[in-house]
């Protein structure tokens, strides 16, 4: 089974040279720490920065420089700042190549729910609805099951949707899945996790084709 | 044209119960701290506030929420504001949650004289309920309308007496669009200089969008998530 850090490490393998990438709050943020050697990617944070760097030192903290998770950050050489309309022009206009975000539920047809549990919790969609509606590549980073052990990979989402038919790939603590016609195609399994384990934790239709390789790090 | 007012009281003159107010900022970054304090002091009520977030429990717009001065919030993210979430779930506070990019564009459209636009964001979700859907290039989009406000209150790093504004880093966020969309736009700045001192090449918000400008007395600039490396 993968730790949250390993999920981020596995997603980092999906990055391609020259990509502009938007990382959501939580596990996705960790992806920035594992860019493959020699690769150039630039991180966009939708509150208004391209070229986001690591966290600052105590001396360099700037209250005016934060990411979409409101964390203090730094700007790399070549960075730029812009307003929110310009930021979402980059997103809606498909100038950002990859979006990585968390989810509460994902369904077989690529629907995603991650902003609201009616009557219980409302965080708001923030930029997630704009991101999922427009991104060419969306990878969901999440745990395979919720805290009660119920599958988050479903035939149909039960929670209010964030977007429809948009998720392409999912990396969980158990597996890498691709959303294809008819269900979730199992691409890879986490170390020491069997296909049966993944099947048990997946409520939606799992498509198993041939021998499923173990993830490599 | 001189847009300078003497202080925050004068800047917020005319803000009354029941008005719609836009407030710049993302989280606590780039919020008009001095004007928010003044709204608390003025005790104006039944406000409709358009702002990406509603501050935290004891800072930013959270201060107005605590005193129940806000009737309705138009935002994209409630986040970690417990009082906001509580008032929303209990029905005390009316909340219109809209996608962040749509919020930014709706403000921009309001200021730019564009009454509505189509966007793919929110199609197939609660956000699309009651909105016109139209296909462009084979993809469904929903119709979103422009937003304007009786007052827009923005915060900039530097400003001049003509109302020209320069923002710093990610404190820019919603401020430029909201400055455009206010019938009256109030700008509070950290540093107010005479017209001519700012380089016209560097201006983010031209003074035409600003009716009142003043230098804020103090800026706490509270940090929401203090993250550091060693």
């Amino acid at each position: 089974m993968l730790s949250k850090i390993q999920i981020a490490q596995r997603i980092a393998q999906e990055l391609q040279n020259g990509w502009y990438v938007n990382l959501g709050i939580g596990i996705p943020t960790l992806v920035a720490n594992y860019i493959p050697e020699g690769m150039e990617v630039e991180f966009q944070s939708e509150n208004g920065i391209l070229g986001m760097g690591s966290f600052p030192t105590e001396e360099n903290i700037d209250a005016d420089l934060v990411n979409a998770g409101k964390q203090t950050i730094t700007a790399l050489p070549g960075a730029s700042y812009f307003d929110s309309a310009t930021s979402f022009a980059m997103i809606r206009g498909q100038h950002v190549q990859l979006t990585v975000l968390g989810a509460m539920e994902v369904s077989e047809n690529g629907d995603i729910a991650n902003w609201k549990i009616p009557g219980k919790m409302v965080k708001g969609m923030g930029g997630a609805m704009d991101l999922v509606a427009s991104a060419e590549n969306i990878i969901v980073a999440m745990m395979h099951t919720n805290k009660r052990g119920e599958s988050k990979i479903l035939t149909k989402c039960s929670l209010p949707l964030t977007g429809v038919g948009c998720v392409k790939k999912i990396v969980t603590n158990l597996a890498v899945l691709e959303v294809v016609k008819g269900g979730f195609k199992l691409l890879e399994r986490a170390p020491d996790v069997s296909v049966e384990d993944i099947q048990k934790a997946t409520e939606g239709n799992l498509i198993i084709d041939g021998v499923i390789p173990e993830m490599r790090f | 044209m001189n847009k300078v007012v003497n202080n925050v009281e004068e800047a917020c003159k005319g803000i009354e119960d029941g008005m719609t107010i836009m407030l710049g900022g993302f989280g606590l970054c780039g919020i008009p701290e001095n004007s928010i304090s003044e709204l608390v002091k003025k005790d104006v009520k039944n406000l409709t506030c358009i702002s990406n977030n509603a501050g935290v429990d004891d800072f930013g717009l959270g201060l107005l929420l605590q005193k129940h001065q806000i009737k309705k919030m138009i935002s994209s993210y409630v986040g970690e504001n417990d009082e906001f979430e509580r008032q929303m779930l209990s029905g005390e506070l009316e909340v219109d949650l809209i996608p962040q990019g749509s919020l930014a564009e709706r403000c921009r459209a309001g200021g730019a004289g564009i009454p509505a636009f189509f966007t793919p964001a929110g199609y197939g979700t609660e956000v699309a309920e009651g909105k016109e859907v139209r296909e462009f290039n084979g993809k469904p989009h929903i119709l979103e309308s422009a937003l304007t406000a009786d007052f827009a209150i923005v915060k900039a790093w530097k400003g001049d007496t003509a109302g020209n504004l320069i923002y710093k880093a990610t404190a820019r966020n919603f401020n430029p669009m909201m400055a455009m969309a206010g019938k009256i736009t109030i700008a509070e700045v950290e540093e107010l200089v005479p017209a001519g001192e700012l380089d016209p090449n560097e201006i983010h918000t031209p003074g035409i969008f600003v009716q009142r400008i003043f230098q804020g007395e103090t800026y706490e600039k509270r940090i929401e998530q203090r993250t550091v490396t060693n």
Side-chain angles (χ1 to χ4, degrees):
Chain A
M1 214 187 297
L2 302 188
S3 64
K4 288 180 178 177
I5 285 173
Q6 287 171 311
I7 294 175
Q9 285 176 321
R10 176 59 192 81
I11 291 171
Q13 294 174 15
E14 303 285 319
L15 298 173
Q16 289 185 25
N17 201 37
W19 270 8
Y20 291 99
V21 178
N22 181 289
L23 301 175
I25 298 166
I27 301 172
T29 305
L30 301 171
V31 174
N33 301 330
Y34 305 102
I35 307 167
E37 194 118 342
M39 188 177 286
E40 244 189 301
V41 286
E42 213 166 282
F43 293 107
Q44 195 249 23
S45 201
E46 66 269 23
N47 58 313
I49 176 173
L50 257 180
M52 177 172 44
S54 55
F55 295 148
T57 57
E58 196 66 52
E59 301 78 59
N60 291 332
I61 278 194
D62 182 351
D64 290 324
L65 184 47
V66 300
N67 63 18
K70 285 98 179 179
Q71 295 172 312
T72 46
I73 50 158
T74 54
L76 295 172
S80 57
Y81 304 122
F82 34 84
D83 63 61
S84 302
T86 306
S87 179
F88 282 91
M90 293 174 190
I91 290 162
R92 229 184 283 106
Q94 299 193 323
H95 306 283
V96 174
Q97 277 82 20
L98 173 68
T99 287
V100 184
L101 78 175
M104 296 175 190
E105 294 178 347
V106 177
S107 77
E108 276 175 27
N109 64 334
D111 293 355
I112 176 172
N114 73 352
W115 70 284
K116 183 179 183 182
I117 302 174
K120 277 192 193 154
M121 186 282 292
V122 186
K123 284 222 171 294
M125 65 291 282
M129 282 193 185
D130 309 89
L131 282 158
V132 300
S134 296
E136 283 174 80
N137 297 298
I138 298 171
I139 300 178
V140 167
M142 66 175 191
M143 293 294 150
H144 212 96
T145 54
N146 64 21
K147 283 182 188 136
R148 293 182 301 281
E150 298 155 346
S151 183
K152 294 168 75 173
I153 311 222
L154 308 170
T155 312
K156 195 170 182 294
C157 290
S158 65
L159 297 171
L161 297 181
T162 307
V164 292
C166 51
V167 176
K168 307 279 192 300
K169 207 171 238 185
I170 307 161
V171 179
T172 74
N173 51 330
L174 303 183
V176 178
L177 305 163
E178 192 185 353
V179 178
V180 297
K181 214 174 171 190
F184 300 100
K185 189 175 180 196
L186 182 56
L187 298 183
E188 295 172 25
R189 53 193 177 76
D192 303 319
V193 172
S194 69
V195 171
E196 291 70 37
D197 294 334
I198 297 164
Q199 180 71 75
K200 243 185 273 171
T202 309
E203 191 265 339
N205 187 36
L206 190 68
I207 298 166
I208 304 155
D209 190 7
V211 179
I212 308 301
E214 191 175 289
M215 289 177 208
R216 288 163 160 266
F217 288 96
Chain B
M1 252 177 271
N2 192 345
K3 309 285 178 75
V4 178
V5 292
N6 288 317
N7 49 43
V8 68
E9 290 86 11
E10 209 175 300
C12 293
K13 211 175 152 199
I15 298 181
E16 289 166 11
D17 291 1
M19 281 187 166
T20 297
I21 301 175
M22 282 181 182
L23 298 110
F26 179 90
L28 300 179
C29 185
I31 60 170
E33 294 181 23
N34 290 274
S35 304
I36 291 170
S37 299
E38 176 61 18
L39 294 181
V40 173
K41 210 172 99 193
K42 270 172 88 87
D43 202 30
V44 278
K45 291 200 160 61
N46 286 318
L47 298 174
T48 293
C49 291
I50 304 172
S51 179
N52 189 59
N53 313 79
V56 293
D57 283 328
D58 61 345
F59 197 61
L61 281 182
L63 297 169
L64 293 178
L65 281 173
Q66 296 251 349
K67 285 186 65 198
H68 293 85
Q69 291 176 256
I70 304 177
K71 182 185 70 177
K72 181 178 181 180
M73 277 299 310
I74 298 177
S75 304
S76 87
Y77 196 71
V78 180
E80 287 69 38
N81 188 324
D82 293 338
E83 181 62 14
F84 188 169
E85 192 168 356
R86 192 195 65 70
Q87 288 189 20
M88 175 168 45
L89 290 171
S90 70
E92 287 163 60
L93 180 70
E94 230 182 292
V95 180
D96 196 358
L97 283 172
I98 51 185
Q100 197 177 326
S102 298
L103 178 61
E105 196 64 17
R106 288 175 72 179
C107 295
R108 201 197 73 81
I114 293 172
F117 58 91
F118 282 97
T119 176
Y123 170 74
T125 75
E126 281 180 14
V127 166
E129 281 168 20
K131 289 174 186 163
E132 185 184 336
V133 176
R134 202 184 290 183
E135 256 186 42
F136 295 94
N137 305 317
K139 193 173 165 174
H141 293 71
I142 61 173
L143 186 66
E144 292 282 10
S145 57
L147 289 170
T148 53
D150 296 306
F151 281 85
I153 310 178
V154 302
K155 190 256 162 182
W157 179 31
K158 292 176 185 173
D160 68 16
T161 51
N164 295 304
L165 304 176
I166 295 174
Y167 308 94
K168 190 173 155 222
T170 56
R172 191 181 320 182
N173 54 66
F174 285 85
N175 285 299
M177 281 81 59
M178 290 184 171
M180 292 164 69
K183 284 185 198 118
I184 296 174
T185 291
I186 301 165
E188 60 169 78
V189 299
E190 288 178 55
E191 196 187 338
L192 183 61
V193 300
E197 274 196 24
L198 300 178
D199 180 348
N201 284 304
E202 313 266 304
I203 303 295
H204 296 134
T205 293
I208 191 169
F209 296 120
V210 174
Q211 280 68 47
R212 303 174 187 176
I213 190 167
F214 71 99
Q215 185 171 308
E217 224 161 72
T218 54
Y219 284 96
E220 178 183 335
K221 290 204 193 180
R222 198 186 290 187
I223 292 171
E224 221 168 320
Q225 305 283 342
R226 196 182 185 86
T227 44
V228 291
T229 49
N230 298 313

